[in-house]
Amino acid sequence: MSTEPIVLNPKRIRNRRIKVFGLMIFTTLIATIKWMYVIPTDSNWLTKFLMIALFVLTFAWIALFFWSSIFGFVELLFKRGVPGIKWPDEKTRLKTKTAVLMPVYNECSKDVFANLLAMADDLEATGQGKAFDIFVLSDTTNPKLWVEEERCWLEAKKLMPESINLFYRRRAKNIARKSGNIEDFCIKWGAYYDFMIVLDADSLMNGKTMLRMAQLMEANAETGIIQAPPMTVGGHTLFARMQQFAGKVYGPIVSAGLAYWQVGDSNYWGHNAIIRVKAFMECCSLPVLEGKAPFGGHILSHDFVEAALIRRGGWAAWLLPELKGSYEGPPPTMIDFAGRDRRWCQGNMQHIKILLSKHLHPISRIHFTIGIMSYLSSPIWLCFLLVGLAIALGRVIFPPVYFPEVHTLFPTWPIFDKIGTIALFVLSMFMLIFPKILGLIIYYINEKKTKGAFKSMLAEIVMSALSAPIMMMFQSKFVLEIFTGHSVGWNTQNRGDRGTSFKEALQRHIWHTILGIITTIVVALYAKQLFWWMLPITIGLMFSIPISMFTSKVSTGLWAQKHKFFVIPEEIDIPLIIQKSLSYGAKLELTSVPDQGVALLLKENKMLNLHIFMLPINGPAPEFSREIMDKARMKLENWLNYHVELDLSKDEELSLLYMPEILKKAAVALMLR
């Protein structure tokens, strides 16, 4: 039997939003009034205006996170599901067809196909594997990885359950990145499918979860998107392990809090979600923004925009914290995290243009505003600190005038409310830390194996405090670069366990270190009253190089695991889907070959025939200059005739991969050599 949804009329939904945002506004208003009395009375009007404006923007952001988490905690404590959506019986047989899409861009092929094999195996175990097809949608530009993807696909086909198809396609031109990749799929094959589950290259989802998502889509015909909150797993460095722990303990109340006020107007996070193909094709033809990058061009953070367009088209979008078994990998280092943040930052700044688009749902505009502010909050916080420091230094350089020229009976003493400042600081810290404590309470209630959780939370709070000013400087730099016209490229994410070298840390953090040292010296000499207030910030900046290196190491992660820091239950009782992925990864590793790219095709006739067969499916070849093509042929001939190393550039090797006749002749010549 299906579970009927709790009906939420517009008034009840509005009341939920009034509670969250009303409390945010009220808390910010009270704190701001107190802050107005804290500011020294002899400050000029411009200084007061800046201090108040920056305080409001900073504190409002904290207040929204706090109250959203409070409501999320209550929802989880009383085990309330997201109302308004119909949950069908788990045994419901699917009448629809779902495509599972894995877009990849220069990724480790073995890991990608191991995850897909594990998911296919899990889908088969549900008894409804026939309702799903799996697609690997490649935008890979590295010629050696392209051939490796084809080889791994061929090996994975042998291991796939018979009831599930595994397709592979590589685009010759990477138009509009991931969003263009998905759009290309919809144009060519979307008509064959009712729904599509969109993944990232490191995504892993239980078969039952994917089946449940498809059942929910069938049962809720007005729904366009269902987002399953992904949990980070599989990290080994200390930085990755801290993210995993934070996601496991704090993530549930954050997701539940968002779902509380978003209800059917939720956002889409770009992966580990199911989308109705009809809704996507009707609504999500993304525009190319006017002007040059970074604000113009193709939209980078396409997920927010796609959710807004689907919602504008009359379809519902749901974030369902009830959906478990959704996983992804964390960035292994602080620098990798910052690199990913740089792309997201530019994408969210592009949303400034989209924010005022016509006919968007008000909640979609709030999503855009939250995304924009998540990055603008860093330079705002930085400005807030700088203005406060400037005021303190100004008092040293220009001492207050206690006896003005106009004769008065008493001196004019500037009033500074020290107790009020401390109270506001304590309140801010409470609003940042208390949700973490609530998350830990839910964690203790729901999980059986929680040993070391409390000390891990304390350690995570300390490490977050040290990392926060470093990320503030990274994000402030990103925002400045974007507003001065510097665009970001499309780089492959590092998903391995490569630690941060001293050279790399020095290059990326040297200015953080210098700023921290200079600020500490200046404050100690000229603004001693701020020394202890600024110390949590300056310590993180001064020691940014060792912090970045220390947290990037697998050895420190293993030490933390050994001493029960940041251990999550999924490491103790490893989920079956993760075990399957590791097993398939080992099997694919056994099939690895020493040769790559063109050399592999020429030595293995089966791979050559497969590659040539796939070329027309992948689309027309890109254009290469005559010079590149001639050099590629010459180097290939030298390799065949004179046994020299086949030293091809990226473009030269790509051009050869689009020359089937040349490859055939070279393969025959190699056999006869």
Side-chain angles (χ1 to χ4, degrees), residues 290-354:
E290 292 183 2
K292 296 181 180 179
F295 287 100
H298 292 289
I299 298 171
L300 293 185
S301 292
H302 56 90
D303 39 13
F304 279 37
V305 182
E306 288 160 351
L309 294 176
I310 282 179
R311 189 65 194 87
R312 185 174 72 174
W315 303 91
W318 297 91
L319 168 63
L320 298 181
E322 298 96 320
L323 292 172
K324 309 298 182 182
S326 173
Y327 306 102
E328 65 175 341
T333 72
M334 185 182 295
I335 290 175
D336 290 313
F337 185 90
R340 186 182 69 175
D341 240 23
R342 176 62 176 86
R343 293 188 294 274
W344 289 358
C345 181
Q346 181 171 326
N348 279 275
M349 292 306 104
Q350 285 181 316
H351 294 167
I352 294 173
K353 282 189 170 184
I354 302 169

Side-chain angles (χ1 to χ4, degrees), residues 281-412:
M281 294 182 71
E282 285 180 352
C283 306
C284 294
S285 179
L286 296 183
V288 177
L289 299 178
E290 292 183 2
K292 296 181 180 179
F295 287 100
H298 292 289
I299 298 171
L300 293 185
S301 292
H302 56 90
D303 39 13
F304 279 37
V305 182
E306 288 160 351
L309 294 176
I310 282 179
R311 189 65 194 87
R312 185 174 72 174
W315 303 91
W318 297 91
L319 168 63
L320 298 181
E322 298 96 320
L323 292 172
K324 309 298 182 182
S326 173
Y327 306 102
E328 65 175 341
T333 72
M334 185 182 295
I335 290 175
D336 290 313
F337 185 90
R340 186 182 69 175
D341 240 23
R342 176 62 176 86
R343 293 188 294 274
W344 289 358
C345 181
Q346 181 171 326
N348 279 275
M349 292 306 104
Q350 285 181 316
H351 294 167
I352 294 173
K353 282 189 170 184
I354 302 169
L355 185 60
L356 301 177
S357 299
K358 294 180 180 179
H359 310 303
L360 290 181
H361 193 281
I363 297 299
S364 296
R365 299 189 197 277
I366 290 176
H367 291 320
F368 286 132
T369 303
I370 290 174
I372 293 166
M373 283 302 301
S374 66
Y375 291 96
L376 288 183
S377 59
S378 284
I380 289 171
W381 181 29
L382 178 60
C383 289
F384 183 74
L385 294 172
L386 292 175
V387 171
L389 182 59
I391 291 173
L393 294 174
R395 290 182 169 278
V396 176
I397 300 170
F398 305 104
V401 178
Y402 301 119
F403 297 94
E405 293 181 2
V406 178
H407 295 289
T408 60
L409 185 60
F410 301 101
T412 303

Side-chain angles (χ1 to χ4, degrees), residues 10 30 70 90 107 128 130 153 166 201 243 304 457 459 461 483 516-517 521 542 631 656:
I30 296 299
I70 293 292
E90 293 182 357
E107 302 286 350
Q128 299 202 54
K130 288 185 178 180
W153 172 57
L166 174 62
Q243 289 180 82
F304 279 37
M457 183 192 73
I461 290 172
F483 278 92
I517 293 172
I521 294 173
M542 284 191 293
K631 280 186 177 180
L656 282 177

Side-chain angles (χ1 to χ4, degrees), residues 151-184:
R151 190 193 68 78
C152 279
W153 172 57
L154 190 62
E155 295 297 333
K157 290 278 288 181
K158 301 173 185 176
L159 300 171
M160 282 290 292
E162 291 184 5
S163 64
I164 301 177
N165 294 311
L166 174 62
F167 299 104
Y168 170 83
R169 180 275 282 136
R170 176 189 173 272
R171 283 199 303 171
K173 296 181 180 179
N174 312 132
I175 299 171
R177 300 178 172 86
K178 183 177 178 179
S179 62
N181 204 351
I182 301 297
E183 184 178 0
D184 179 78

